């Protein structure tokens, strides 16, 4: 196992809507082929279980700045204008960690 700085990503849209994933930042948009080594690079918020994405799923990573000035990471499968992002973040329990709230984790 190696030590990495992990961030939390709120997933908006698609079948994983509302989930919180952990992953190394910065991440790139996810459109993974079967030969891509990054396949399954995100992990469940609790535990070490990798998120398995089908090859048809496509997520894009965005930074969103809250009215309070905190930066949050989003993994989106749909247009961000379709969501009230502040409301989506407020629904998350325990609260979503902002970008400056990274933790060291072993993966």
């Amino acid at each position: 196992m190696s030590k990495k700085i992990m961030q939390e990503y709120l997933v908006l849209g698609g079948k994983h809507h509302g989930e919180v994933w952990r992953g190394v930042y910065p991440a790139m948009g996810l459109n993974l082929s079967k030969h891509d080594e990054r396949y399954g690079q995100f992990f469940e918020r609790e535990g070490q279980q990798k998120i398995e994405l089908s090859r048809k799923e496509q997520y894009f990573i965005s930074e969103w700045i809250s009215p309070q000035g905190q930066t949050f990471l989003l993994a989106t499968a749909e247009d961000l204008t379709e969501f009230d992002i502040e409301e989506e973040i407020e629904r998350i329990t325990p609260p979503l960690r902002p970008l400056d709230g990274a933790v060291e984790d072993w993966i």
Side-chain angles (χ1 to χ4, degrees), residues 20-106:
V20 176
W21 296 348
R22 294 181 311 120
V24 177
Y25 180 80
M28 296 181 278
L30 302 178
N31 186 7
L32 305 175
S33 73
K34 64 182 180 181
H35 302 294
D36 194 316
E37 293 177 11
R38 295 172 297 153
Y39 190 79
Q41 70 177 342
F42 286 92
F43 300 84
E44 291 179 353
R45 190 178 202 187
E46 305 297 327
Q48 307 254 341
Q49 185 71 31
K50 285 185 180 181
I51 303 296
E52 298 296 334
L53 300 173
S54 75
R55 291 177 190 96
K56 294 181 182 179
E57 290 180 275
Q58 188 173 164
Y59 291 89
F60 297 94
I61 305 305
S62 302
E63 293 182 9
W64 181 79
I65 300 173
S66 74
Q68 295 78 26
Q70 294 178 304
T71 302
F72 293 93
L73 295 173
L74 308 174
T76 58
E78 299 171 21
D79 189 333
L80 283 178
T81 60
E82 300 295 319
F83 304 99
D84 181 338
I85 298 170
E86 190 170 9
E87 183 178 303
E88 295 285 348
I89 289 173
E90 288 174 3
R91 290 183 190 165
I92 302 302
T93 304
L96 188 66
R97 219 173 24 238
L99 184 58
D100 58 359
V103 296
E104 291 184 357
D105 203 352
W106 294 92

Coordinates of all heavy atoms in Angstrom, one line a residue, residues 20-106:
V20 N -20.7 9.8 -2.5 CA -19.4 10.5 -2.2 C -18.3 9.5 -2.5 O -18.3 8.4 -1.9 CB -19.4 11.1 -0.8 CG1 -18.0 11.7 -0.6 CG2 -20.5 12.1 -0.6
W21 N -17.4 9.9 -3.4 CA -16.3 9.0 -3.7 C -15.0 9.7 -3.2 O -15.0 10.9 -3.0 CB -16.1 8.9 -5.2 CG -17.2 8.1 -5.9 CD1 -18.3 7.4 -5.3 CD2 -17.4 8.1 -7.3 NE1 -19.1 6.9 -6.3 CE2 -18.6 7.3 -7.5 CE3 -16.8 8.6 -8.4 CZ2 -19.1 7.0 -8.8 CZ3 -17.2 8.3 -9.7 CH2 -18.4 7.5 -9.9
R22 N -14.0 8.9 -2.9 CA -12.7 9.4 -2.5 C -11.8 9.1 -3.7 O -11.9 8.0 -4.3 CB -12.2 8.7 -1.3 CG -13.0 8.9 0.0 CD -12.4 8.3 1.2 NE -12.2 6.8 1.0 CZ -11.0 6.2 1.1 NH1 -9.9 6.9 1.4 NH2 -10.9 4.9 0.8
G23 N -10.8 10.0 -3.9 CA -9.9 9.8 -5.0 C -8.7 10.8 -4.9 O -8.8 11.8 -4.1
V24 N -7.7 10.5 -5.6 CA -6.5 11.4 -5.6 C -6.9 12.6 -6.5 O -7.5 12.4 -7.5 CB -5.3 10.6 -6.2 CG1 -4.1 11.6 -6.3 CG2 -5.0 9.4 -5.3
Y25 N -6.5 13.8 -6.1 CA -6.7 15.0 -6.8 C -5.4 15.5 -7.4 O -4.4 15.4 -6.7 CB -7.4 16.0 -5.9 CG -7.6 17.3 -6.7 CD1 -8.8 17.4 -7.5 CD2 -6.8 18.4 -6.6 CE1 -9.0 18.6 -8.2 CE2 -7.0 19.6 -7.3 CZ -8.2 19.7 -8.1 OH -8.4 20.8 -8.7
P26 N -5.3 16.0 -8.5 CA -6.4 16.3 -9.5 C -6.7 15.0 -10.3 O -5.8 14.2 -10.6 CB -5.8 17.3 -10.4 CG -4.3 17.1 -10.4 CD -4.0 16.6 -9.0
A27 N -7.9 14.9 -10.6 CA -8.4 13.8 -11.4 C -8.8 14.3 -12.8 O -9.0 15.5 -12.9 CB -9.6 13.1 -10.8
M28 N -8.9 13.5 -13.7 CA -9.3 13.9 -15.1 C -10.7 13.4 -15.3 O -11.2 12.6 -14.6 CB -8.3 13.3 -16.1 CG -6.9 13.9 -16.0 SD -5.8 13.2 -17.2 CE -5.4 11.6 -16.5
G29 N -11.3 13.9 -16.4 CA -12.6 13.4 -16.8 C -12.5 11.9 -17.0 O -11.5 11.4 -17.5
L30 N -13.5 11.2 -16.7 CA -13.5 9.7 -16.8 C -14.2 9.2 -18.0 O -15.4 9.4 -18.0 CB -14.0 9.1 -15.5 CG -13.4 9.5 -14.2 CD1 -14.1 8.8 -13.0 CD2 -11.9 9.1 -14.2
N31 N -13.5 8.7 -18.9 CA -14.1 8.1 -20.1 C -13.2 6.9 -20.4 O -12.3 7.1 -21.2 CB -14.3 9.0 -21.3 CG -15.0 8.4 -22.4 OD1 -15.6 7.3 -22.3 ND2 -15.1 9.1 -23.5
L32 N -13.3 5.8 -19.7 CA -12.3 4.8 -19.6 C -12.5 3.7 -20.5 O -13.6 3.1 -20.6 CB -12.2 4.3 -18.1 CG -12.1 5.3 -17.1 CD1 -12.1 4.7 -15.7 CD2 -10.8 6.1 -17.2
S33 N -11.4 3.3 -21.2 CA -11.5 2.1 -22.1 C -11.1 0.9 -21.2 O -10.6 1.0 -20.1 CB -10.5 2.2 -23.2 OG -9.2 2.1 -22.7
K34 N -11.4 -0.3 -21.8 CA -11.1 -1.5 -21.0 C -9.6 -1.7 -20.7 O -9.2 -2.5 -19.9 CB -11.6 -2.7 -21.7 CG -11.0 -3.0 -23.1 CD -11.7 -4.2 -23.7 CE -11.1 -4.5 -25.1 NZ -11.7 -5.6 -25.7
H35 N -8.7 -1.0 -21.4 CA -7.3 -1.1 -21.3 C -6.7 0.0 -20.4 O -5.5 0.0 -20.2 CB -6.6 -1.1 -22.6 CG -7.0 -2.2 -23.5 ND1 -6.8 -3.5 -23.2 CD2 -7.7 -2.2 -24.7 CE1 -7.4 -4.3 -24.2 NE2 -7.9 -3.5 -25.1
D36 N -7.5 0.9 -19.9 CA -7.1 2.1 -19.2 C -6.7 1.6 -17.7 O -7.6 1.1 -17.0 CB -8.1 3.2 -19.2 CG -7.6 4.5 -18.7 OD1 -6.9 4.5 -17.7 OD2 -7.9 5.5 -19.3
E37 N -5.5 1.9 -17.3 CA -5.1 1.5 -15.9 C -5.8 2.3 -14.8 O -5.8 1.9 -13.7 CB -3.6 1.7 -15.8 CG -2.8 0.8 -16.6 CD -1.3 1.0 -16.6 OE1 -0.9 1.8 -15.7 OE2 -0.6 0.4 -17.4
R38 N -6.5 3.4 -15.2 CA -7.2 4.2 -14.2 C -8.6 3.7 -13.9 O -9.3 4.2 -13.0 CB -7.3 5.7 -14.6 CG -6.0 6.4 -14.8 CD -6.2 7.7 -15.4 NE -6.7 7.5 -16.8 CZ -7.4 8.4 -17.4 NH1 -7.7 9.6 -16.9 NH2 -7.8 8.2 -18.7
Y39 N -9.0 2.6 -14.6 CA -10.3 2.0 -14.4 C -10.5 1.7 -12.9 O -9.7 1.0 -12.3 CB -10.4 0.8 -15.2 CG -11.8 0.2 -15.3 CD1 -12.7 0.8 -16.1 CD2 -12.2 -0.9 -14.5 CE1 -14.0 0.3 -16.2 CE2 -13.5 -1.4 -14.6 CZ -14.4 -0.8 -15.4 OH -15.7 -1.3 -15.5
G40 N -11.5 2.2 -12.3 CA -11.8 2.0 -10.9 C -10.9 2.8 -9.9 O -10.7 2.3 -8.8
Q41 N -10.5 4.0 -10.3 CA -9.6 4.7 -9.4 C -10.2 5.4 -8.3 O -9.6 6.0 -7.4 CB -8.8 5.7 -10.2 CG -9.6 6.8 -10.8 CD -8.7 7.8 -11.5 OE1 -7.5 7.8 -11.4 NE2 -9.3 8.7 -12.3
F42 N -11.5 5.4 -8.2 CA -12.3 6.1 -7.1 C -12.7 5.0 -6.1 O -12.9 3.8 -6.5 CB -13.5 6.9 -7.6 CG -13.1 8.1 -8.3 CD1 -12.8 8.2 -9.6 CD2 -12.9 9.3 -7.5 CE1 -12.5 9.3 -10.3 CE2 -12.5 10.5 -8.1 CZ -12.3 10.5 -9.5
F43 N -12.8 5.4 -4.9 CA -13.1 4.5 -3.8 C -14.4 5.0 -3.0 O -14.7 6.2 -3.0 CB -12.0 4.4 -2.8 CG -10.7 3.9 -3.5 CD1 -9.9 4.8 -4.1 CD2 -10.4 2.6 -3.4 CE1 -8.7 4.3 -4.8 CE2 -9.2 2.1 -4.1 CZ -8.4 3.0 -4.7
E44 N -15.1 4.0 -2.4 CA -16.2 4.4 -1.5 C -15.7 5.3 -0.4 O -14.6 5.2 0.0 CB -16.8 3.1 -0.9 CG -17.6 2.3 -2.0 CD -18.2 1.0 -1.3 OE1 -17.9 0.8 -0.1 OE2 -18.9 0.3 -2.1
R45 N -16.6 6.1 0.1 CA -16.3 7.0 1.1 C -15.8 6.3 2.4 O -14.9 6.7 3.1 CB -17.5 7.9 1.4 CG -17.2 9.1 2.4 CD -18.4 9.9 2.6 NE -18.0 11.3 3.0 CZ -18.8 12.2 3.4 NH1 -20.1 11.9 3.4 NH2 -18.4 13.4 3.7
E46 N -16.5 5.2 2.7 CA -16.2 4.4 3.9 C -15.5 3.2 3.4 O -16.1 2.4 2.6 CB -17.5 4.1 4.7 CG -18.3 5.3 5.1 CD -17.6 6.2 6.0 OE1 -16.8 5.7 6.9 OE2 -17.8 7.4 6.0
G47 N -14.3 2.9 3.8 CA -13.7 1.7 3.4 C -12.8 1.8 2.2 O -12.5 2.9 1.7
Q48 N -12.3 0.7 1.7 CA -11.4 0.7 0.6 C -11.9 0.2 -0.7 O -11.2 -0.1 -1.6 CB -10.2 -0.2 1.0 CG -9.6 0.2 2.4 CD -8.3 0.9 2.2 OE1 -7.6 0.8 1.2 NE2 -7.8 1.6 3.2
Q49 N -13.2 0.0 -0.8 CA -13.9 -0.6 -1.9 C -13.8 0.3 -3.1 O -14.2 1.5 -3.1 CB -15.3 -1.0 -1.6 CG -16.0 -1.7 -2.7 CD -15.6 -3.1 -2.9 OE1 -15.2 -3.7 -1.9 NE2 -15.6 -3.6 -4.1
K50 N -13.2 -0.2 -4.2 CA -13.1 0.6 -5.4 C -14.5 0.8 -6.1 O -15.3 -0.1 -6.0 CB -12.2 0.0 -6.5 CG -10.8 0.1 -6.2 CD -9.9 -0.5 -7.3 CE -8.4 -0.3 -7.0 NZ -7.6 -0.8 -8.0
I51 N -14.7 1.9 -6.7 CA -16.0 2.2 -7.4 C -15.7 1.6 -8.8 O -14.8 2.0 -9.5 CB -16.3 3.7 -7.6 CG1 -16.4 4.3 -6.2 CG2 -17.5 3.9 -8.4 CD1 -17.5 3.8 -5.3
E52 N -16.5 0.6 -9.2 CA -16.4 0.0 -10.5 C -17.3 0.7 -11.5 O -18.5 0.8 -11.3 CB -16.8 -1.5 -10.5 CG -15.9 -2.3 -9.6 CD -14.4 -2.3 -10.0 OE1 -14.2 -2.2 -11.2 OE2 -13.5 -2.5 -9.1
L53 N -16.7 1.3 -12.5 CA -17.5 2.1 -13.5 C -17.6 1.2 -14.8 O -16.6 0.6 -15.2 CB -16.8 3.4 -13.8 CG -16.7 4.4 -12.7 CD1 -15.8 5.5 -13.1 CD2 -18.0 4.8 -12.2
S54 N -18.8 1.2 -15.4 CA -18.9 0.6 -16.7 C -18.2 1.4 -17.7 O -18.0 2.6 -17.6 CB -20.3 0.4 -17.1 OG -20.9 1.6 -17.5
R55 N -17.8 0.8 -18.8 CA -17.2 1.6 -19.9 C -18.1 2.6 -20.5 O -17.6 3.5 -21.2 CB -16.6 0.6 -20.9 CG -15.5 -0.2 -20.4 CD -15.0 -1.3 -21.3 NE -14.1 -2.2 -20.7 CZ -14.5 -3.3 -20.2 NH1 -15.7 -3.7 -20.3 NH2 -13.6 -4.1 -19.6
K56 N -19.4 2.5 -20.3 CA -20.3 3.5 -20.9 C -20.5 4.7 -20.0 O -21.0 5.7 -20.5 CB -21.6 2.8 -21.1 CG -21.6 1.8 -22.2 CD -22.9 1.1 -22.4 CE -22.8 0.0 -23.5 NZ -24.1 -0.6 -23.7
E57 N -20.1 4.6 -18.7 CA -20.3 5.7 -17.8 C -19.2 6.8 -18.1 O -18.0 6.4 -18.3 CB -20.2 5.3 -16.4 CG -21.4 4.4 -15.9 CD -21.2 4.0 -14.5 OE1 -20.6 2.9 -14.3 OE2 -21.8 4.7 -13.6
Q58 N -19.6 8.0 -18.0 CA -18.6 9.1 -18.3 C -18.9 10.2 -17.2 O -20.0 10.7 -17.1 CB -18.8 9.7 -19.7 CG -17.8 10.6 -20.1 CD -17.9 11.0 -21.5 OE1 -17.4 12.0 -21.9 NE2 -18.7 10.3 -22.3
Y59 N -17.8 10.5 -16.5 CA -17.9 11.6 -15.4 C -16.8 12.6 -15.7 O -15.7 12.3 -16.1 CB -17.7 11.0 -14.0 CG -18.9 10.1 -13.6 CD1 -18.9 8.7 -13.9 CD2 -20.0 10.6 -13.0 CE1 -20.0 7.9 -13.6 CE2 -21.0 9.9 -12.6 CZ -21.0 8.5 -12.9 OH -22.1 7.7 -12.6
F60 N -17.2 13.8 -15.4 CA -16.2 14.9 -15.5 C -16.0 15.6 -14.2 O -16.9 15.7 -13.4 CB -16.7 16.0 -16.5 CG -16.9 15.4 -17.9 CD1 -18.1 14.9 -18.3 CD2 -15.8 15.4 -18.8 CE1 -18.3 14.4 -19.6 CE2 -16.0 14.8 -20.0 CZ -17.2 14.3 -20.5
I61 N -14.8 15.9 -13.9 CA -14.4 16.5 -12.6 C -14.4 18.0 -12.7 O -13.9 18.6 -13.6 CB -13.0 16.0 -12.2 CG1 -12.9 14.5 -12.2 CG2 -12.6 16.6 -10.8 CD1 -13.9 13.8 -11.3
S62 N -15.1 18.6 -11.7 CA -15.3 20.1 -11.7 C -15.0 20.5 -10.3 O -15.2 19.8 -9.3 CB -16.7 20.5 -12.0 OG -17.0 20.1 -13.3
E63 N -14.5 21.8 -10.2 CA -14.3 22.4 -8.9 C -15.5 23.4 -8.8 O -15.8 24.1 -9.7 CB -13.0 23.2 -8.8 CG -11.8 22.3 -8.7 CD -10.5 23.1 -8.6 OE1 -10.6 24.3 -8.3 OE2 -9.4 22.4 -8.7
W64 N -16.2 23.4 -7.6 CA -17.3 24.4 -7.4 C -17.0 25.2 -6.1 O -16.6 24.6 -5.1 CB -18.6 23.6 -7.2 CG -19.8 24.5 -7.0 CD1 -20.4 25.2 -8.0 CD2 -20.4 24.8 -5.8 NE1 -21.5 25.9 -7.4 CE2 -21.5 25.7 -6.1 CE3 -20.2 24.4 -4.5 CZ2 -22.3 26.2 -5.1 CZ3 -21.0 24.9 -3.5 CH2 -22.1 25.8 -3.8
I65 N -17.1 26.5 -6.2 CA -16.8 27.4 -5.1 C -18.1 27.8 -4.5 O -19.0 28.4 -5.2 CB -16.0 28.6 -5.5 CG1 -14.6 28.1 -6.1 CG2 -15.7 29.5 -4.3 CD1 -13.8 29.2 -6.7
S66 N -18.3 27.5 -3.2 CA -19.5 27.8 -2.5 C -19.5 29.3 -2.2 O -18.5 30.0 -2.3 CB -19.5 27.1 -1.1 OG -18.6 27.6 -0.2
P67 N -20.7 29.8 -1.8 CA -20.8 31.2 -1.5 C -19.9 31.6 -0.3 O -19.6 32.8 -0.1 CB -22.3 31.4 -1.1 CG -23.0 30.3 -1.9 CD -22.0 29.2 -1.9
Q68 N -19.6 30.6 0.5 CA -18.7 30.9 1.7 C -17.2 30.8 1.3 O -16.3 31.0 2.1 CB -19.0 29.8 2.8 CG -20.3 29.9 3.4 CD -21.4 29.3 2.5 OE1 -21.1 28.4 1.7 NE2 -22.6 29.8 2.7
G69 N -16.9 30.5 0.0 CA -15.5 30.5 -0.5 C -14.8 29.2 -0.4 O -13.7 29.1 -0.7
Q70 N -15.5 28.1 0.0 CA -14.9 26.8 0.0 C -15.0 26.1 -1.4 O -16.0 26.3 -2.1 CB -15.6 25.9 1.0 CG -15.4 26.4 2.5 CD -16.2 25.5 3.4 OE1 -17.4 25.3 3.3 NE2 -15.5 24.9 4.4
T71 N -14.0 25.4 -1.7 CA -14.0 24.7 -3.0 C -14.3 23.2 -2.8 O -13.7 22.6 -2.0 CB -12.6 24.8 -3.7 OG1 -12.3 26.2 -3.8 CG2 -12.6 24.2 -5.0
F72 N -15.3 22.7 -3.6 CA -15.7 21.3 -3.5 C -15.5 20.7 -4.8 O -15.5 21.3 -5.9 CB -17.2 21.2 -3.1 CG -17.5 21.7 -1.7 CD1 -17.9 23.0 -1.5 CD2 -17.4 20.8 -0.7 CE1 -18.2 23.4 -0.2 CE2 -17.7 21.2 0.6 CZ -18.0 22.5 0.9
L73 N -15.2 19.4 -4.8 CA -15.0 18.6 -6.0 C -16.2 17.9 -6.4 O -16.9 17.2 -5.6 CB -13.8 17.6 -5.9 CG -12.5 18.3 -5.6 CD1 -11.4 17.3 -5.3 CD2 -12.0 19.1 -6.9
L74 N -16.6 17.9 -7.7 CA -17.8 17.3 -8.2 C -17.4 16.3 -9.3 O -16.5 16.7 -10.2 CB -18.8 18.3 -8.7 CG -19.2 19.4 -7.8 CD1 -20.0 20.4 -8.5 CD2 -19.8 18.9 -6.6
A75 N -18.0 15.2 -9.3 CA -17.9 14.2 -10.5 C -19.2 14.2 -11.1 O -20.2 13.7 -10.5 CB -17.4 12.8 -10.0
T76 N -19.4 14.7 -12.3 CA -20.7 14.9 -12.9 C -20.9 14.1 -14.2 O -20.0 14.0 -15.0 CB -20.9 16.4 -13.2 OG1 -19.9 16.9 -14.1 CG2 -20.9 17.2 -11.9
A77 N -22.1 13.6 -14.3 CA -22.4 12.8 -15.5 C -23.4 13.6 -16.3 O -23.7 13.2 -17.5 CB -23.1 11.5 -15.1
E78 N -23.8 14.8 -15.8 CA -24.8 15.6 -16.5 C -24.3 17.0 -16.4 O -23.4 17.4 -15.7 CB -26.2 15.4 -15.9 CG -26.7 14.0 -16.1 CD -28.0 13.7 -15.3 OE1 -28.7 14.7 -15.0 OE2 -28.2 12.6 -15.0
D79 N -25.0 17.9 -17.1 CA -24.7 19.4 -17.1 C -25.0 19.9 -15.7 O -26.0 19.6 -15.1 CB -25.7 20.1 -18.1 CG -25.3 21.5 -18.3 OD1 -24.8 22.2 -17.4 OD2 -25.6 22.0 -19.4
L80 N -24.0 20.6 -15.1 CA -24.1 21.2 -13.8 C -25.3 22.1 -13.6 O -25.8 22.3 -12.5 CB -22.8 21.9 -13.4 CG -21.7 21.0 -13.0 CD1 -20.4 21.9 -12.7 CD2 -22.0 20.2 -11.8
T81 N -25.8 22.7 -14.7 CA -26.9 23.6 -14.5 C -28.2 22.9 -14.2 O -29.2 23.5 -13.8 CB -27.1 24.4 -15.8 OG1 -27.4 23.5 -16.9 CG2 -25.9 25.3 -16.2
E82 N -28.2 21.6 -14.2 CA -29.4 20.8 -13.9 C -29.5 20.6 -12.4 O -30.5 20.1 -11.9 CB -29.3 19.4 -14.5 CG -29.2 19.4 -16.0 CD -30.4 19.9 -16.7 OE1 -31.5 19.6 -16.2 OE2 -30.3 20.7 -17.6
F83 N -28.6 21.1 -11.6 CA -28.5 20.8 -10.2 C -28.4 22.1 -9.3 O -27.8 23.0 -9.8 CB -27.4 19.9 -9.8 CG -27.3 18.6 -10.5 CD1 -26.5 18.5 -11.7 CD2 -28.1 17.6 -10.2 CE1 -26.5 17.3 -12.4 CE2 -28.1 16.4 -10.9 CZ -27.3 16.2 -12.0
D84 N -29.1 22.1 -8.2 CA -28.8 23.1 -7.1 C -27.7 22.5 -6.3 O -27.9 21.8 -5.4 CB -30.1 23.3 -6.3 CG -29.9 24.4 -5.2 OD1 -28.7 24.7 -4.9 OD2 -30.9 24.9 -4.8
I85 N -26.4 22.9 -6.7 CA -25.2 22.3 -6.1 C -25.2 22.5 -4.6 O -24.8 21.6 -3.8 CB -24.0 22.7 -6.8 CG1 -24.1 22.3 -8.3 CG2 -22.7 22.2 -6.2 CD1 -23.0 22.9 -9.2
E86 N -25.5 23.7 -4.2 CA -25.4 24.0 -2.8 C -26.3 23.1 -2.0 O -26.0 22.6 -0.9 CB -25.7 25.5 -2.5 CG -25.4 26.0 -1.1 CD -25.6 27.5 -1.0 OE1 -26.0 28.2 -1.9 OE2 -25.2 28.0 0.1
E87 N -27.5 22.9 -2.5 CA -28.5 22.0 -1.8 C -28.0 20.6 -1.8 O -28.2 19.9 -0.8 CB -29.9 22.1 -2.5 CG -30.9 21.3 -1.9 CD -32.3 21.5 -2.6 OE1 -32.7 22.6 -2.7 OE2 -32.8 20.5 -3.1
E88 N -27.5 20.1 -2.9 CA -26.9 18.8 -3.0 C -25.8 18.5 -2.0 O -25.8 17.5 -1.3 CB -26.4 18.5 -4.4 CG -27.5 18.5 -5.5 CD -28.4 17.3 -5.5 OE1 -28.1 16.3 -4.8 OE2 -29.4 17.3 -6.3
I89 N -24.9 19.5 -1.8 CA -23.9 19.4 -0.8 C -24.4 19.4 0.6 O -24.0 18.6 1.4 CB -22.8 20.5 -1.0 CG1 -22.0 20.3 -2.3 CG2 -21.9 20.7 0.2 CD1 -21.1 21.4 -2.7
E90 N -25.4 20.2 0.9 CA -26.0 20.3 2.2 C -26.7 19.0 2.6 O -26.8 18.7 3.8 CB -27.0 21.4 2.3 CG -26.4 22.8 2.3 CD -27.4 23.9 2.2 OE1 -28.6 23.7 2.2 OE2 -26.9 25.1 2.2
R91 N -27.1 18.1 1.6 CA -27.8 16.9 1.9 C -26.8 15.8 2.4 O -27.2 14.8 3.0 CB -28.4 16.3 0.7 CG -29.6 17.1 0.2 CD -30.2 16.4 -1.0 NE -31.3 17.2 -1.6 CZ -31.8 17.1 -2.7 NH1 -31.4 16.1 -3.5 NH2 -32.7 17.9 -3.2
I92 N -25.5 16.0 2.2 CA -24.5 14.9 2.5 C -24.2 14.9 4.0 O -23.9 15.9 4.6 CB -23.2 15.2 1.7 CG1 -23.5 15.3 0.2 CG2 -22.2 14.2 2.0 CD1 -24.1 14.0 -0.4
T93 N -24.3 13.6 4.5 CA -24.0 13.4 5.9 C -23.1 12.2 6.0 O -23.4 11.2 5.4 CB -25.3 13.1 6.7 OG1 -26.2 14.2 6.5 CG2 -25.0 12.9 8.2
P94 N -21.9 12.3 6.7 CA -21.4 13.5 7.3 C -21.0 14.5 6.2 O -21.0 14.1 5.0 CB -20.1 13.0 8.0 CG -19.8 11.7 7.4 CD -21.1 11.2 6.9
P95 N -20.8 15.8 6.5 CA -20.6 16.8 5.5 C -19.5 16.5 4.6 O -18.5 15.9 4.9 CB -20.3 18.1 6.4 CG -20.9 17.8 7.7 CD -20.8 16.3 7.9
L96 N -19.7 16.9 3.3 CA -18.6 16.8 2.3 C -17.4 17.6 2.7 O -17.6 18.8 3.1 CB -19.2 17.3 1.0 CG -18.4 17.0 -0.3 CD1 -18.2 15.5 -0.5 CD2 -19.0 17.7 -1.5
R97 N -16.3 17.1 2.6 CA -15.0 17.8 2.9 C -14.6 18.7 1.7 O -14.6 18.2 0.6 CB -13.9 16.7 3.2 CG -13.0 17.1 4.3 CD -12.0 16.0 4.7 NE -11.7 15.1 3.7 CZ -11.8 13.7 3.9 NH1 -12.4 13.3 5.0 NH2 -11.5 12.9 2.9
P98 N -14.3 19.9 2.0 CA -13.9 20.8 0.9 C -12.5 20.5 0.4 O -11.8 19.7 1.1 CB -13.9 22.2 1.5 CG -13.8 22.0 3.0 CD -14.4 20.7 3.2
L99 N -12.1 21.0 -0.7 CA -10.8 20.7 -1.3 C -9.6 20.9 -0.4 O -8.7 20.2 -0.3 CB -10.6 21.5 -2.6 CG -9.4 21.3 -3.4 CD1 -9.3 19.8 -3.8 CD2 -9.3 22.2 -4.6
D100 N -9.7 22.0 0.5 CA -8.7 22.3 1.4 C -8.7 21.4 2.6 O -7.9 21.6 3.6 CB -8.6 23.7 1.8 CG -9.9 24.2 2.4 OD1 -10.9 23.4 2.6 OD2 -10.0 25.4 2.8
G101 N -9.6 20.4 2.7 CA -9.7 19.5 3.8 C -9.2 18.1 3.5 O -9.8 17.1 4.0
A102 N -8.2 18.0 2.7 CA -7.7 16.7 2.3 C -7.1 15.9 3.5 O -6.7 16.5 4.5 CB -6.5 16.9 1.3
V103 N -7.2 14.6 3.4 CA -6.6 13.8 4.5 C -5.6 12.8 3.8 O -5.8 12.4 2.7 CB -7.7 13.0 5.2 CG1 -8.6 13.9 6.0 CG2 -8.5 12.1 4.3
E104 N -4.7 12.4 4.6 CA -3.8 11.3 4.2 C -4.5 10.0 4.4 O -5.1 9.8 5.4 CB -2.4 11.4 4.9 CG -1.6 12.6 4.6 CD -0.3 12.6 5.3 OE1 0.0 11.7 6.1 OE2 0.5 13.5 5.0
D105 N -4.4 9.1 3.4 CA -5.0 7.8 3.5 C -4.1 6.8 2.9 O -3.3 7.1 2.1 CB -6.3 7.9 2.7 CG -7.4 6.9 3.2 OD1 -7.0 6.0 4.0 OD2 -8.5 7.0 2.7
W106 N -4.3 5.6 3.3 CA -3.6 4.4 2.8 C -4.4 3.7 1.8 O -5.6 3.3 2.1 CB -3.1 3.5 3.9 CG -2.2 4.1 4.8 CD1 -2.5 4.8 6.0 CD2 -0.8 4.2 4.7 NE1 -1.3 5.3 6.5 CE2 -0.3 4.9 5.8 CE3 0.1 3.7 3.7 CZ2 1.1 5.1 5.9 CZ3 1.5 3.9 3.9 CH2 1.9 4.6 5.0

